[in-house]
Coordinates of all heavy atoms in Angstrom, one line a residue:
M11 N -70.9 45.2 -85.7 CA -70.6 46.4 -85.0 C -69.7 47.3 -85.8 O -70.1 48.3 -86.3 CB -70.0 46.1 -83.6 CG -69.7 47.3 -82.7 SD -69.4 46.9 -81.0 CE -67.8 46.0 -81.2
F12 N -68.4 46.9 -85.9 CA -67.5 47.6 -86.7 C -67.0 46.8 -87.8 O -66.9 45.6 -87.7 CB -66.2 48.0 -85.9 CG -66.5 48.9 -84.7 CD1 -66.5 48.5 -83.4 CD2 -66.8 50.3 -84.9 CE1 -66.8 49.3 -82.4 CE2 -67.0 51.1 -83.9 CZ -67.1 50.6 -82.6
G13 N -66.7 47.3 -89.0 CA -66.1 46.6 -90.0 C -64.6 46.9 -90.0 O -64.1 47.8 -89.3
P14 N -63.8 46.0 -90.6 CA -62.4 46.2 -90.7 C -62.1 47.5 -91.4 O -62.8 48.0 -92.3 CB -61.9 45.0 -91.4 CG -63.0 44.6 -92.3 CD -64.3 44.9 -91.4
L15 N -61.0 48.2 -90.9 CA -60.6 49.5 -91.5 C -60.1 49.2 -92.9 O -60.1 50.1 -93.8 CB -59.5 50.1 -90.7 CG -59.9 50.5 -89.3 CD1 -58.8 51.1 -88.5 CD2 -61.1 51.4 -89.3
I16 N -59.5 48.1 -93.2 CA -59.0 47.7 -94.5 C -59.9 46.5 -94.9 O -60.1 45.6 -94.2 CB -57.5 47.2 -94.5 CG1 -56.7 48.3 -93.8 CG2 -57.1 47.0 -95.9 CD1 -56.6 49.6 -94.5
S17 N -60.4 46.6 -96.1 CA -61.4 45.6 -96.5 C -60.8 44.2 -96.8 O -61.4 43.2 -96.7 CB -62.2 46.1 -97.7 OG -61.4 46.3 -98.8
K18 N -59.6 44.2 -97.3 CA -58.9 43.0 -97.7 C -57.5 43.0 -97.2 O -56.9 44.0 -97.2 CB -59.0 42.8 -99.2 CG -60.4 42.6 -99.8 CD -60.4 42.4 -101.3 CE -61.8 42.2 -101.8 NZ -61.8 42.0 -103.3
P19 N -56.9 41.8 -97.0 CA -55.5 41.8 -96.5 C -54.6 42.3 -97.6 O -54.6 41.8 -98.7 CB -55.3 40.3 -96.3 CG -56.6 39.7 -96.2 CD -57.5 40.5 -97.0
G20 N -53.8 43.3 -97.2 CA -52.9 44.0 -98.2 C -53.7 44.4 -99.4 O -54.9 44.7 -99.4
T21 N -53.1 44.6 -100.5 CA -53.8 45.0 -101.7 C -53.7 43.8 -102.7 O -54.4 43.8 -103.7 CB -53.2 46.2 -102.3 OG1 -51.8 46.1 -102.5 CG2 -53.5 47.4 -101.4
S22 N -52.7 42.9 -102.5 CA -52.6 41.8 -103.4 C -51.7 40.8 -102.8 O -51.1 41.1 -101.7 CB -52.0 42.2 -104.8 OG -50.7 42.5 -104.7
K23 N -51.6 39.6 -103.3 CA -50.7 38.6 -102.7 C -49.3 39.0 -102.7 O -48.5 38.5 -101.9 CB -50.9 37.3 -103.5 CG -52.3 36.7 -103.3 CD -52.4 35.3 -103.9 CE -53.8 34.7 -103.6 NZ -53.9 33.4 -104.2
R24 N -48.9 40.0 -103.5 CA -47.5 40.4 -103.5 C -47.1 41.1 -102.2 O -45.9 41.3 -101.9 CB -47.1 41.3 -104.7 CG -47.7 42.7 -104.6 CD -47.3 43.6 -105.8 NE -47.8 44.9 -105.6 CZ -49.0 45.3 -106.1 NH1 -49.8 44.5 -106.6 NH2 -49.4 46.6 -105.9
N25 N -48.1 41.5 -101.4 CA -47.8 42.2 -100.2 C -47.7 41.2 -99.0 O -47.8 41.7 -97.8 CB -48.9 43.2 -99.9 CG -48.8 44.4 -100.8 OD1 -47.7 44.7 -101.4 ND2 -49.8 45.1 -101.1
K26 N -47.7 40.0 -99.2 CA -47.5 39.0 -98.1 C -46.2 39.4 -97.3 O -45.2 39.7 -97.9 CB -47.4 37.6 -98.6 CG -48.7 37.0 -99.0 CD -48.6 35.6 -99.2 CE -50.0 35.0 -99.5 NZ -50.0 33.5 -99.7
T27 N -46.4 39.4 -96.0 CA -45.3 40.0 -95.1 C -44.6 39.0 -94.2 O -43.8 39.4 -93.4 CB -45.9 41.1 -94.3 OG1 -47.0 40.6 -93.5 CG2 -46.4 42.3 -95.1
G28 N -44.9 37.8 -94.4 CA -44.4 36.8 -93.5 C -42.9 36.7 -93.4 O -42.3 36.4 -92.4
S29 N -42.2 37.2 -94.5 CA -40.8 37.1 -94.5 C -40.1 38.3 -93.8 O -38.9 38.3 -93.5 CB -40.3 37.1 -95.9 OG -40.6 38.3 -96.6
W30 N -40.9 39.4 -93.4 CA -40.2 40.5 -92.7 C -41.0 41.0 -91.5 O -40.9 42.2 -91.2 CB -39.9 41.6 -93.7 CG -41.1 42.2 -94.4 CD1 -41.6 41.7 -95.6 CD2 -41.9 43.3 -94.0 NE1 -42.7 42.5 -96.0 CE2 -42.9 43.5 -95.0 CE3 -41.9 44.2 -92.9 CZ2 -43.9 44.5 -94.9 CZ3 -42.9 45.2 -92.9 CH2 -43.8 45.3 -93.9
R31 N -41.8 40.2 -90.9 CA -42.6 40.6 -89.7 C -41.6 41.0 -88.6 O -40.5 40.6 -88.6 CB -43.5 39.4 -89.3 CG -44.5 39.8 -88.2 CD -45.6 38.7 -88.0 NE -45.0 37.4 -88.0 CZ -45.4 36.5 -89.0 NH1 -46.2 36.8 -89.9 NH2 -44.9 35.3 -88.9
T32 N -42.2 41.8 -87.7 CA -41.4 42.2 -86.5 C -41.0 40.9 -85.8 O -41.3 39.8 -86.2 CB -42.1 43.1 -85.6 OG1 -43.3 42.4 -85.1 CG2 -42.6 44.4 -86.3
E33 N -40.3 41.1 -84.7 CA -39.7 39.9 -84.0 C -40.8 39.1 -83.2 O -40.5 38.2 -82.5 CB -38.6 40.3 -83.1 CG -37.4 40.8 -83.9 CD -36.2 41.2 -83.0 OE1 -36.3 41.1 -81.8 OE2 -35.2 41.7 -83.6
S34 N -42.0 39.6 -83.2 CA -43.0 38.9 -82.5 C -44.3 38.7 -83.3 O -44.5 39.4 -84.3 CB -43.4 39.6 -81.2 OG -43.9 40.9 -81.5
K35 N -45.1 37.8 -82.9 CA -46.3 37.5 -83.6 C -47.4 37.2 -82.6 O -47.2 36.8 -81.5 CB -46.1 36.3 -84.5 CG -45.8 35.0 -83.8 CD -45.4 33.9 -84.7 CE -45.0 32.6 -83.9 NZ -44.6 31.5 -84.8
P36 N -48.7 37.4 -83.0 CA -49.8 37.2 -82.0 C -50.1 35.8 -81.9 O -50.1 35.0 -82.8 CB -50.9 38.0 -82.7 CG -50.7 38.0 -84.1 CD -49.2 38.0 -84.3
K37 N -50.5 35.4 -80.7 CA -51.0 34.1 -80.4 C -52.4 34.3 -79.8 O -52.6 35.0 -78.8 CB -50.2 33.3 -79.4 CG -50.7 32.0 -79.1 CD -49.9 31.3 -78.0 CE -50.5 29.9 -77.7 NZ -49.7 29.2 -76.6
F38 N -53.4 33.7 -80.4 CA -54.8 33.7 -80.0 C -55.0 32.6 -79.0 O -54.9 31.4 -79.3 CB -55.7 33.7 -81.2 CG -55.7 34.9 -82.0 CD1 -54.6 35.1 -82.9 CD2 -56.7 35.8 -82.0 CE1 -54.5 36.3 -83.6 CE2 -56.7 36.9 -82.8 CZ -55.6 37.2 -83.6
L39 N -55.3 33.0 -77.7 CA -55.4 32.0 -76.7 C -56.7 31.1 -76.7 O -56.7 30.0 -76.2 CB -55.3 32.7 -75.3 CG -54.0 33.5 -75.1 CD1 -53.9 34.1 -73.7 CD2 -52.7 32.6 -75.3
H40 N -57.7 31.7 -77.2 CA -59.0 31.0 -77.3 C -59.5 30.5 -75.9 O -59.9 29.4 -75.8 CB -58.9 29.8 -78.3 CG -58.6 30.3 -79.7 ND1 -58.1 29.4 -80.7 CD2 -58.8 31.5 -80.3 CE1 -58.0 30.1 -81.8 NE2 -58.4 31.3 -81.6
K41 N -59.4 31.4 -75.0 CA -59.9 31.1 -73.6 C -61.0 32.0 -73.2 O -62.0 31.6 -72.6 CB -58.8 31.2 -72.6 CG -57.7 30.1 -72.8 CD -56.6 30.2 -71.8 CE -55.6 29.1 -71.9 NZ -54.5 29.2 -70.9
N42 N -60.8 33.3 -73.4 CA -61.7 34.3 -72.8 C -62.4 35.2 -73.9 O -63.0 36.2 -73.5 CB -61.0 35.2 -71.8 CG -60.4 34.4 -70.7 OD1 -61.1 33.6 -70.1 ND2 -59.1 34.7 -70.4
C43 N -62.2 34.9 -75.1 CA -62.8 35.7 -76.2 C -64.3 35.9 -76.1 O -65.0 34.9 -75.8 CB -62.4 35.0 -77.5 SG -63.1 35.8 -79.0
I44 N -64.7 37.1 -76.3 CA -66.1 37.4 -76.3 C -66.7 37.8 -77.7 O -67.8 38.3 -77.8 CB -66.4 38.5 -75.3 CG1 -65.6 39.8 -75.6 CG2 -66.2 38.1 -73.9 CD1 -66.0 41.0 -74.8
A45 N -65.8 37.6 -78.7 CA -66.3 37.8 -80.1 C -66.6 39.3 -80.3 O -67.5 39.6 -81.1 CB -67.4 36.9 -80.5
C46 N -65.9 40.2 -79.7 CA -66.2 41.6 -79.8 C -65.7 42.2 -81.2 O -66.1 43.2 -81.6 CB -65.6 42.4 -78.7 SG -63.8 42.5 -78.7
K47 N -64.8 41.5 -81.8 CA -64.2 41.8 -83.1 C -63.3 43.1 -83.1 O -63.1 43.6 -84.1 CB -65.3 41.9 -84.2 CG -66.0 40.5 -84.4 CD -66.9 40.6 -85.6 CE -67.5 39.2 -85.8 NZ -68.4 39.2 -87.0
M48 N -62.9 43.5 -81.9 CA -62.1 44.7 -81.8 C -60.7 44.4 -82.5 O -60.1 45.3 -83.2 CB -61.8 45.1 -80.4 CG -63.1 45.7 -79.7 SD -63.7 47.2 -80.6 CE -62.4 48.3 -80.3
C49 N -60.2 43.2 -82.4 CA -59.0 42.8 -83.0 C -59.1 42.9 -84.5 O -58.2 43.4 -85.2 CB -58.5 41.4 -82.6 SG -59.8 40.1 -82.8
V50 N -60.2 42.5 -85.0 CA -60.5 42.5 -86.5 C -60.5 44.0 -86.9 O -60.0 44.4 -88.0 CB -61.9 41.8 -86.8 CG1 -62.2 42.0 -88.3 CG2 -61.8 40.4 -86.4
T51 N -61.1 44.8 -86.1 CA -61.3 46.2 -86.5 C -60.0 47.0 -86.6 O -59.8 47.8 -87.5 CB -62.2 46.9 -85.4 OG1 -63.5 46.3 -85.4 CG2 -62.4 48.4 -85.8
V52 N -59.1 46.7 -85.6 CA -57.8 47.5 -85.6 C -56.7 46.9 -86.5 O -55.7 47.7 -86.7 CB -57.3 47.7 -84.2 CG1 -58.4 48.4 -83.3 CG2 -56.9 46.4 -83.5
C53 N -56.8 45.7 -86.9 CA -55.7 45.1 -87.6 C -55.4 45.9 -88.9 O -56.3 45.9 -89.8 CB -56.0 43.6 -87.9 SG -54.6 42.9 -88.9
P54 N -54.3 46.5 -89.1 CA -54.0 47.2 -90.3 C -53.9 46.4 -91.6 O -54.0 46.9 -92.7 CB -52.7 47.9 -90.0 CG -52.0 47.0 -89.0 CD -53.1 46.5 -88.2
E55 N -53.7 45.1 -91.4 CA -53.6 44.2 -92.5 C -54.9 43.4 -92.8 O -55.0 42.6 -93.7 CB -52.5 43.2 -92.3 CG -51.1 43.8 -92.4 CD -50.9 44.5 -93.7 OE1 -51.1 43.8 -94.7 OE2 -50.4 45.6 -93.7
A56 N -55.9 43.6 -91.9 CA -57.2 42.9 -92.1 C -57.0 41.4 -92.2 O -57.7 40.8 -93.0 CB -58.0 43.5 -93.2
C57 N -56.1 40.9 -91.4 CA -55.7 39.5 -91.6 C -56.3 38.7 -90.5 O -55.9 37.5 -90.3 CB -54.2 39.3 -91.8 SG -53.2 39.8 -90.3
I58 N -57.1 39.2 -89.6 CA -57.8 38.4 -88.6 C -59.2 38.1 -89.0 O -59.9 38.9 -89.5 CB -57.8 39.2 -87.3 CG1 -56.4 39.6 -86.8 CG2 -58.5 38.4 -86.2 CD1 -56.3 40.5 -85.6
T59 N -59.5 36.8 -88.8 CA -60.8 36.3 -89.2 C -61.4 35.5 -88.0 O -60.6 35.0 -87.1 CB -60.8 35.4 -90.4 OG1 -59.9 34.3 -90.2 CG2 -60.4 36.2 -91.6
G60 N -62.6 35.5 -87.9 CA -63.3 34.7 -86.9 C -64.7 35.2 -86.8 O -65.1 36.3 -87.3
D61 N -65.6 34.4 -86.1 CA -67.0 34.8 -86.0 C -67.5 34.5 -84.6 O -68.0 35.4 -83.9 CB -67.8 34.0 -87.0 CG -69.2 34.6 -87.2 OD1 -69.4 35.7 -86.7 OD2 -70.0 33.8 -87.7
Q62 N -67.3 33.3 -84.2 CA -67.8 32.9 -82.8 C -66.7 33.1 -81.8 O -65.5 33.3 -82.1 CB -68.2 31.5 -82.8 CG -69.3 31.1 -83.9 CD -70.6 31.9 -83.7 OE1 -71.1 32.0 -82.6 NE2 -71.1 32.4 -84.8
K63 N -67.1 33.1 -80.5 CA -66.1 33.2 -79.4 C -65.0 32.1 -79.6 O -65.3 31.0 -80.0 CB -66.8 32.9 -78.1 CG -67.8 34.0 -77.7 CD -68.5 33.6 -76.4 CE -69.5 34.7 -76.0 NZ -70.2 34.4 -74.7
N64 N -63.8 32.5 -79.3 CA -62.7 31.6 -79.4 C -62.4 31.0 -80.7 O -61.8 29.9 -80.8 CB -62.8 30.5 -78.3 CG -62.9 31.1 -76.9 OD1 -62.2 32.1 -76.5 ND2 -63.8 30.6 -76.1
T65 N -62.8 31.7 -81.8 CA -62.5 31.1 -83.1 C -61.5 32.1 -83.9 O -61.2 31.7 -85.0 CB -63.7 30.9 -83.9 OG1 -64.4 32.2 -84.2 CG2 -64.7 30.0 -83.2
F66 N -61.1 33.2 -83.3 CA -60.4 34.2 -84.1 C -58.9 33.7 -84.3 O -58.3 33.2 -83.4 CB -60.5 35.5 -83.4 CG -61.8 36.1 -83.5 CD1 -62.9 35.7 -82.6 CD2 -62.1 37.1 -84.4 CE1 -64.1 36.2 -82.7 CE2 -63.4 37.6 -84.5 CZ -64.4 37.2 -83.7
I67 N -58.5 34.0 -85.5 CA -57.1 33.6 -85.9 C -56.6 34.7 -86.8 O -57.4 35.5 -87.4 CB -57.0 32.2 -86.6 CG1 -57.9 32.2 -87.8 CG2 -57.4 31.1 -85.6 CD1 -57.8 31.0 -88.7
C68 N -55.3 34.7 -87.0 CA -54.8 35.6 -88.0 C -54.0 34.8 -89.1 O -53.5 33.7 -88.8 CB -53.9 36.7 -87.4 SG -52.2 36.1 -87.0
D69 N -53.9 35.4 -90.2 CA -53.1 34.8 -91.3 C -51.7 35.4 -91.2 O -51.4 36.6 -91.5 CB -53.8 35.2 -92.6 CG -53.1 34.5 -93.8 OD1 -51.9 34.1 -93.7 OD2 -53.7 34.4 -94.9
Y70 N -50.7 34.6 -90.8 CA -49.4 35.0 -90.7 C -48.7 35.4 -92.0 O -47.7 36.1 -92.0 CB -48.5 33.9 -90.0 CG -48.8 33.7 -88.5 CD1 -49.1 32.4 -88.0 CD2 -48.8 34.8 -87.6 CE1 -49.4 32.2 -86.7 CE2 -49.1 34.6 -86.3 CZ -49.4 33.3 -85.8 OH -49.7 33.1 -84.5
S71 N -49.3 35.1 -93.1 CA -48.8 35.5 -94.4 C -48.9 37.0 -94.6 O -48.2 37.6 -95.4 CB -49.5 34.8 -95.5 OG -49.3 33.4 -95.4
Y72 N -49.8 37.6 -93.8 CA -50.0 39.1 -93.9 C -49.7 39.8 -92.6 O -49.4 41.0 -92.7 CB -51.5 39.3 -94.3 CG -51.9 38.8 -95.6 CD1 -52.5 37.6 -95.7 CD2 -51.6 39.6 -96.8 CE1 -52.8 37.1 -97.0 CE2 -52.0 39.1 -98.0 CZ -52.6 37.8 -98.1 OH -52.9 37.4 -99.3
C73 N -49.7 39.1 -91.5 CA -49.5 39.8 -90.2 C -48.1 40.4 -90.1 O -47.1 39.8 -90.5 CB -49.6 38.8 -89.1 SG -49.1 39.4 -87.5
K74 N -48.0 41.7 -89.7 CA -46.7 42.4 -89.6 C -46.2 42.4 -88.1 O -45.1 42.9 -87.9 CB -46.9 43.8 -90.0 CG -47.0 44.0 -91.5 CD -47.1 45.5 -91.9 CE -47.0 45.7 -93.4 NZ -48.2 45.1 -94.1
G75 N -47.0 41.8 -87.2 CA -46.5 41.8 -85.8 C -46.6 43.1 -85.1 O -45.8 43.3 -84.2
C76 N -47.5 44.0 -85.5 CA -47.6 45.3 -84.9 C -48.1 45.2 -83.5 O -47.8 46.1 -82.7 CB -48.5 46.2 -85.7 SG -50.3 45.7 -85.6
G77 N -48.8 44.2 -83.1 CA -49.3 44.0 -81.7 C -50.6 44.8 -81.4 O -51.0 44.7 -80.2
M78 N -51.2 45.5 -82.3 CA -52.4 46.2 -82.0 C -53.5 45.3 -81.6 O -54.3 45.7 -80.7 CB -52.8 47.1 -83.3 CG -51.8 48.2 -83.6 SD -52.2 49.1 -85.1 CE -53.8 49.8 -84.7
C79 N -53.6 44.2 -82.1 CA -54.7 43.3 -81.7 C -54.6 42.9 -80.3 O -55.6 42.8 -79.6 CB -54.7 42.0 -82.6 SG -53.1 41.2 -82.7
A80 N -53.3 42.6 -79.8 CA -53.1 42.2 -78.5 C -53.4 43.4 -77.5 O -53.9 43.2 -76.4 CB -51.7 41.8 -78.3
V81 N -53.1 44.6 -77.9 CA -53.3 45.8 -77.1 C -54.8 46.0 -76.9 O -55.3 46.3 -75.8 CB -52.6 47.0 -77.7 CG1 -53.1 48.3 -76.9 CG2 -51.1 46.8 -77.6
I82 N -55.6 45.9 -78.0 CA -57.0 46.3 -78.0 C -57.9 45.2 -77.4 O -59.0 45.5 -76.9 CB -57.4 46.6 -79.4 CG1 -58.7 47.5 -79.4 CG2 -57.7 45.3 -80.2 CD1 -58.5 48.9 -79.0
C83 N -57.4 44.0 -77.4 CA -58.3 42.9 -76.9 C -58.7 43.2 -75.4 O -57.9 43.2 -74.5 CB -57.6 41.5 -77.0 SG -58.7 40.2 -76.3
P84 N -60.0 43.3 -75.1 CA -60.5 43.6 -73.8 C -60.4 42.4 -72.8 O -60.5 42.6 -71.6 CB -61.9 44.0 -74.0 CG -62.4 43.3 -75.2 CD -61.2 43.2 -76.1
K85 N -60.2 41.3 -73.3 CA -60.1 40.1 -72.5 C -58.7 39.5 -72.4 O -58.5 38.4 -71.9 CB -61.1 39.0 -73.0 CG -62.5 39.5 -73.1 CD -63.1 39.9 -71.8 CE -63.4 38.8 -70.9 NZ -64.0 39.2 -69.6
Q86 N -57.7 40.2 -72.9 CA -56.3 39.7 -72.9 C -56.2 38.3 -73.5 O -55.5 37.5 -73.0 CB -55.7 39.8 -71.5 CG -55.5 41.2 -71.0 CD -56.8 41.8 -70.4 OE1 -57.5 41.2 -69.7 NE2 -57.1 43.0 -70.9
D87 N -57.0 38.1 -74.5 CA -57.0 36.8 -75.1 C -56.0 36.6 -76.3 O -56.0 35.6 -77.0 CB -58.4 36.4 -75.6 CG -58.7 34.9 -75.5 OD1 -58.3 34.3 -74.5 OD2 -59.3 34.4 -76.5
I88 N -55.2 37.7 -76.5 CA -54.2 37.6 -77.6 C -52.9 38.1 -76.9 O -52.9 39.1 -76.2 CB -54.5 38.6 -78.7 CG1 -55.9 38.3 -79.3 CG2 -53.4 38.5 -79.8 CD1 -56.3 39.4 -80.3
V89 N -51.8 37.3 -77.1 CA -50.5 37.7 -76.5 C -49.5 37.7 -77.7 O -49.7 36.9 -78.7 CB -50.1 36.7 -75.4 CG1 -51.0 36.8 -74.2 CG2 -50.0 35.3 -75.9
M90 N -48.5 38.5 -77.5 CA -47.4 38.5 -78.5 C -46.3 37.5 -78.1 O -45.9 37.6 -76.9 CB -46.9 39.9 -78.7 CG -47.9 40.9 -79.2 SD -48.7 40.5 -80.8 CE -47.4 40.7 -81.9
I91 N -45.9 36.7 -79.0 CA -44.9 35.7 -78.7 C -43.7 35.9 -79.7 O -43.9 36.4 -80.7 CB -45.4 34.3 -78.7 CG1 -45.9 34.0 -80.1 CG2 -46.5 34.1 -77.7 CD1 -46.4 32.5 -80.3
P92 N -42.5 35.4 -79.3 CA -41.4 35.6 -80.2 C -41.7 34.9 -81.5 O -42.3 33.9 -81.6 CB -40.3 34.8 -79.4 CG -40.7 34.9 -78.0 CD -42.2 34.8 -78.0
E93 N -41.1 35.5 -82.6 CA -41.3 35.0 -83.9 C -40.9 33.6 -84.1 O -41.6 32.8 -84.8 CB -40.5 35.9 -84.9 CG -40.6 35.5 -86.4 CD -42.0 35.6 -86.9 OE1 -42.7 36.5 -86.6 OE2 -42.4 34.7 -87.7
D94 N -39.8 33.2 -83.4 CA -39.3 31.9 -83.6 C -40.0 30.8 -82.6 O -39.5 29.7 -82.6 CB -37.8 31.8 -83.4 CG -37.4 32.4 -82.1 OD1 -38.2 32.7 -81.3 OD2 -36.1 32.4 -81.9
S95 N -41.0 31.3 -81.9 CA -41.7 30.4 -81.0 C -42.4 29.3 -81.8 O -42.9 29.5 -82.8 CB -42.7 31.1 -80.1 OG -43.4 30.2 -79.4
K96 N -42.4 28.1 -81.2 CA -43.0 26.9 -81.9 C -44.5 26.8 -81.4 O -45.2 25.9 -81.8 CB -42.3 25.6 -81.5 CG -40.8 25.6 -81.9 CD -40.7 25.9 -83.4 CE -39.2 25.8 -83.8 NZ -38.9 26.4 -85.1
E97 N -44.9 27.8 -80.6 CA -46.3 27.7 -80.1 C -47.3 27.9 -81.2 O -47.0 28.6 -82.2 CB -46.6 28.8 -79.0 CG -45.8 28.5 -77.7 CD -46.1 29.5 -76.7 OE1 -47.3 29.6 -76.3 OE2 -45.2 30.2 -76.2
Ligands
LIG28 S1 -50.1 41.8 -84.9 FE1 -50.9 43.6 -86.1 S2 -50.9 42.8 -88.3 FE2 -50.7 41.0 -86.9 S3 -52.8 40.2 -86.6 FE3 -52.3 41.6 -84.9 S4 -53.1 43.7 -85.6 FE4 -52.9 42.4 -87.4
LIG29 S1 -60.5 41.5 -79.4 FE1 -60.2 39.6 -78.1 S2 -62.2 39.2 -77.2 FE2 -62.5 40.5 -79.0 S3 -62.8 39.1 -80.8 FE3 -60.6 39.6 -80.7 S4 -59.7 37.9 -79.5 FE4 -61.9 37.9 -79.1

């Protein structure tokens, strides 16, 4: 349907952002996902991957914690949790 806005995570490995992400990070619940790939489309870091329902994940090495994936998900299957959460 849609391709990611950015073709690859960051522009190189030097752009890994895990050390300065915002205070929250996305958690993929894997309960109600319909594989619409909207989260993949909006992620500015193109760090979300997945194919089938309830298989989508993000690479925290690139995720900035912007929360766009959680906002766009039509099934509320992504929630933002505190950075220091052990979940
Ligand atoms: S919080 Fe932002 S950067 Fe992280 S996976 Fe979601 S859309 Fe991508
Ligand atoms: S936006 Fe939500 S429902 Fe769509 S693929 Fe991503 S996690 Fe699944």
Side-chain angles (χ1 to χ4, degrees):
M11 182 168 66
F12 297 104
L15 298 179
I16 309 295
S17 61
K18 294 181 179 179
T21 55
S22 73
K23 290 186 177 181
R24 72 177 183 275
N25 288 337
K26 284 189 174 182
T27 56
S29 63
W30 59 272
R31 189 165 43 243
T32 63
E33 295 180 0
S34 59
K35 60 186 178 182
K37 177 182 179 183
F38 291 73
L39 301 179
H40 294 161
K41 291 181 178 177
N42 301 312
C43 175
I44 56 174
C46 67
K47 298 188 177 181
M48 290 301 292
C49 53
V50 176
T51 301
V52 301
C53 178
E55 291 300 310
C57 65
I58 300 175
T59 56
D61 192 17
Q62 305 298 316
K63 293 177 181 178
N64 299 318
T65 64
F66 289 78
I67 57 172
C68 78
D69 185 340
Y70 289 128
S71 295
Y72 295 95
C73 171
K74 289 183 170 64
C76 70
M78 291 174 63
C79 54
V81 170
I82 201 72
C83 178
K85 302 302 287 184
Q86 293 78 48
D87 210 43
I88 306 172
V89 296
M90 299 302 289
I91 61 175
E93 178 64 38
D94 58 0
S95 173
K96 301 303 180 193
E97 295 185 59

